[in-house]
Structure formats: C-alpha cells, structure tokens
Amino acid sequence: MKKRISFIGAILSLIPLVQPLLIKTSVVISSAALMLSVPKKVIAESSSAIFYYNRGFDRAAEGDHYGAIADFTKAIQINPNDDDAFYNRGNSKSIIKDYYGSIYDYTNAIEIDSSQSDVFINRGLSRQNIGDKEGACFDWEKASSLGDKDAIQLVRNHC
C-alpha cells in the first residue's frame, strides 16, 4: 500500500502547478478507483470453488491434510459436481486414516465421473484398510478394466 501511495504522489508531483486542478483530480480519482476495485476481485476469488480447491491442493502438498479437507469441503459446497475436489479430499482423509470418509468421497467422485481409474484404485485401498477385501477387489478389477496396469497388479496380488 505504501508503494502505491508513493507512486501516486510521484505522479502528482510531476504535474506542473500551472495545470488545472481538473487533471490532478482525475489522476487521483482514477487511481483511487483502481485501488478500490482490487479488493472486490479478491473477495470474488475467495468465494470461488477454484480458489478453495487450489488452496486445498497446496495445503495437502505441504502435509496440512486437515486444512486441505476444510478447503476441499468449501470447494464442494460451492460446486458439488467437482469430482477432483471429492477425489483429493478422499486422498487427504485416507492419509489421516479416515478410511470410511475417504470411501465416501471416492464414491461421490465416481458418481460424477466413473472414467478415472485412480479413484477406483484408491477406494480399493481404503476398502482394503477397513478389511473389505471383496470391495477392494471389485474396485481394482474396475480400474484394470479401464486399462490401469497398477490395478492389474493389485488384482493379481490380492484377489
């Protein structure tokens, strides 16, 4: 903010004193309008699902999975058809060992888009962690039918 004020002051000091007051006023008004329009953009951005999704993704990458879950939840509240937000929230829940929660999120992601093999693999891993071998094998077989080589190996090793 200090840089903006200094910059505006420097611009105003370059205007000769003989110029009409109108020019000085228009520079100040246009500069003030520019400064006042920035907070509106920030407010609009902070209420978008993309903002919360990106912040959740960054928090998960930093290891803050509880913060990531909160951000993904906010993104889902804004856009309940965001399969990536469900998927990544499921990943964070799985890491903190909330396997039932992760299964719920992976299931929602699958309901929105059932063409992603990673979601089936991860839901299978969460099911395996709660002792649901049959459910895990079902998910891995579905992922292998989508052409995922890791899923084929999981089926061979565990089913």
Side-chain angles (χ1 to χ4, degrees), residues 60 65 68-69 72 87-97:
H65 294 287
I69 291 167
F72 290 133
Y87 173 71
N88 285 297
R89 186 173 74 173
N91 287 343
S92 286
K93 286 181 178 180
S94 181
I95 289 170
I96 64 168
K97 299 182 192 264

Side-chain angles (χ1 to χ4, degrees), residues 127 131-139:
R127 285 180 167 179
D132 180 7
K133 182 179 178 179
E134 184 179 323
C137 289
F138 173 83
D139 284 339

Side-chain angles (χ1 to χ4, degrees), residues 8-29:
I8 292 169
I11 289 175
L12 290 176
S13 69
L14 295 175
I15 299 173
L17 294 175
V18 293
Q19 294 291 324
L21 183 61
L22 182 61
I23 294 175
K24 290 182 183 178
T25 307
S26 67
V27 170
V28 171
I29 290 172

Side-chain angles (χ1 to χ4, degrees), residues 92-154:
S92 286
K93 286 181 178 180
S94 181
I95 289 170
I96 64 168
K97 299 182 192 264
D98 177 9
Y99 300 119
Y100 289 99
S102 67
I103 292 167
Y104 173 81
D105 285 340
Y106 295 140
T107 301
N108 281 315
I110 289 167
E111 287 176 1
I112 296 167
D113 180 8
S114 62
S115 67
Q116 304 297 321
S117 62
D118 289 349
V119 185
F120 286 101
I121 289 174
N122 288 356
R123 187 172 74 173
L125 292 170
S126 290
R127 285 180 167 179
Q128 181 186 40
N129 283 320
I130 63 168
D132 180 7
K133 182 179 178 179
E134 184 179 323
C137 289
F138 173 83
D139 284 339
W140 296 332
E141 287 169 2
K142 177 63 178 171
S144 66
S145 74
L146 292 170
D148 193 293
K149 294 183 186 239
D150 293 331
I152 294 168
Q153 193 63 36
L154 285 166

Side-chain angles (χ1 to χ4, degrees), residues 33-57:
L34 178 66
M35 288 188 300
L36 292 175
S37 68
V38 172
K40 288 180 183 176
K41 181 180 178 188
V42 172
I43 290 169
E45 222 176 71
S46 69
S47 66
S48 76
I50 294 169
F51 171 81
Y52 287 105
Y53 175 83
N54 288 337
R55 192 170 75 176
F57 193 84

